[in-house]
Amino acid sequence: MNNLPNINVNYPADYHMHSHNSGDSKAPMEDMILSAIQKGLKEICFTEHMDLDYPPTPDLPEDPFVLDIPSYKNELYKYKEKYKDQITVKYGIEIGMQTQIAGDNAKLVANEDFDFVIASIHLVDRNDPFYPGFWDSDTVENIYRRFFSQTLENIKLFTDFDVLGHLDYISRYAPKGDTTYSYERFKDQIDEILNYLVENGKGLDVNSKVLGYSEELAPNPCPEALKRFHELGGKIITFGSDAHRPDAIACGFPKICEIAREAGFTEYYTFDKRVPTPHKF
Ligand SMILES: [Zn+2]
Ligand SMILES: [Zn+2]
């Protein structure tokens, strides 16, 4: 649980969060905003899930992550106005990438005036690593390799995004105790992704979600991969709790700020209608 003090804390903007508009959250949007204000945040960005063509899951309805954009937008702008003197609320989206929907995702983003777009991979070969059985399909090493190769393939196909979401996301769901993952082990593939992002002016979502479970866990990306992004010339990072509940907002932020500083970053970014602005932290 997050017991961070809410006074005199200069938190960076939380640029990755979900509300009931996402298929896997029940949180009222207003509760998320009130929690952010209470924690002392000055700016947040909702990044609701849009995962087109999602495979059937054991526990969710059909097409669980198809976002009702007009309804989301109406609700967001209502609260943006209501709380404008206390917090800046931005209009974002987290696009779930798959090769067969790259064109649909591009159209969707082109037709909407989002402030900020995260591109994420939540599936490997149309399978969700969240569910048991996924990891039985191959060796853990091969599954990581496929995850990273599909990430690269997808960011080359769908290019209208600002940051890549949770670079090594799949490590969150690796079998308990498994130690296969390290930046060093998958350096060849991760460097290719990072280089592509740098060359194309894209950023990374520094995602603290797992720090809400334990401060011992590594955020996504892991510190070594974040450091490498900086070494390769990466400039744009956003901080995100990936909160699906009000109490998880800004979870682990002091820790990820420290990790980002150690990686060499002195600035994080916010976005307005897709235009990035740096801020010291
Ligand atoms: Zn995600
Ligand atoms: Zn998310």
Side-chain angles (χ1 to χ4, degrees):
M1 273 311 115
N2 197 324
N3 292 315
L4 299 167
N6 62 10
I7 42 165
N8 298 324
V9 178
N10 195 11
Y11 282 130
D14 192 337
Y15 257 52
H16 192 152
M17 65 174 65
H18 302 270
S19 76
H20 73 95
N21 291 291
S22 292
D24 55 356
S25 169
K26 292 195 167 31
M29 197 174 247
E30 190 165 25
D31 290 1
M32 298 294 282
I33 295 169
L34 290 170
S35 172
I37 293 169
Q38 200 223 344
K39 290 182 186 212
L41 277 78
K42 299 284 179 288
E43 179 163 341
I44 56 173
C45 183
F46 283 94
T47 52
E48 308 287 5
H49 285 299
M50 175 63 108
D51 280 79
L52 296 170
D53 197 20
Y54 212 77
T57 59
D59 55 347
L60 295 169
E62 207 179 316
D63 277 329
F65 300 114
V66 173
L67 177 62
D68 181 342
I69 291 181
S71 158
Y72 162 45
K73 188 177 187 176
N74 276 339
E75 191 182 10
L76 184 135
Y77 275 90
K78 180 178 79 179
Y79 290 125
K80 182 183 174 79
E81 177 63 22
K82 181 172 176 184
Y83 291 103
K84 67 170 192 264
D85 296 334
Q86 294 165 79
I87 194 164
T88 301
V89 178
K90 291 289 175 64
Y91 178 43
I93 191 164
E94 180 178 12
I95 296 281
M97 295 183 289
Q98 297 186 69
T99 53
Q100 80 279 15
I101 52 165
D104 296 318
N105 282 336
K107 243 181 257 160
L108 190 158
V109 171
N111 288 331
E112 208 33 70
D113 58 348
F114 293 114
D115 289 310
F116 177 61
V117 177
I118 302 177
S120 294
I121 291 277
H122 295 124
L123 301 166
V124 178
D125 303 317
R126 298 205 77 227
N127 281 313
D128 190 333
F130 176 76
Y131 293 101
F134 170 88
W135 294 91
D136 302 336
S137 65
D138 203 343
T139 64
V140 174
E141 163 108 20
N142 285 344
I143 289 174
Y144 273 106
R145 294 234 167 258
R146 288 217 302 283
F147 174 80
F148 288 123
S149 70
Q150 288 172 26
T151 299
L152 185 63
E153 187 184 4
N154 273 285
I155 55 177
K156 286 182 172 176
L157 278 177
F158 169 70
T159 58
D160 194 3
F161 67 93
D162 301 307
V163 301
L164 173 64
H166 41 56
L167 168 81
D168 42 18
Y169 169 82
I170 195 163
S171 65
R172 283 184 191 171
Y173 304 109
K176 232 184 165 40
D178 185 85
T179 55
T180 302
Y181 179 64
S182 68
Y183 160 71
E184 205 53 45
R185 187 155 178 178
F186 298 95
K187 182 178 164 51
D188 53 333
Q189 289 188 291
I190 294 176
D191 279 5
E192 240 189 301
I193 295 168
L194 296 177
N195 271 317
Y196 181 83
L197 295 174
V198 172
E199 282 160 17
N200 290 278
K202 308 291 188 191
L204 276 183
D205 157 52
V206 181
N207 191 300
S208 67
K209 182 172 186 166
V210 298
L211 298 177
Y213 308 143
S214 162
E215 286 267 319
E216 302 308 307
L217 295 170
N220 306 103
C222 67
E224 296 75 17
L226 186 59
K227 185 159 183 263
R228 185 64 175 149
F229 183 56
H230 185 263
E231 278 170 11
L232 292 171
K235 292 215 169 357
I236 295 177
I237 55 167
T238 53
F239 291 118
S241 64
D242 211 346
H244 288 64
R245 295 187 324 267
D247 63 284
I249 288 172
C251 73
F253 266 31
K255 180 89 185 267
I256 52 164
C257 288
E258 190 188 311
I259 288 170
R261 265 187 220 105
E262 279 168 12
F265 291 94
T266 56
E267 292 171 334
Y268 71 92
Y269 282 73
T270 57
F271 286 76
D272 189 64
K273 301 275 180 272
R274 314 292 304 282
V275 179
T277 301
H279 307 269
K280 298 271 175 220
F281 70 97

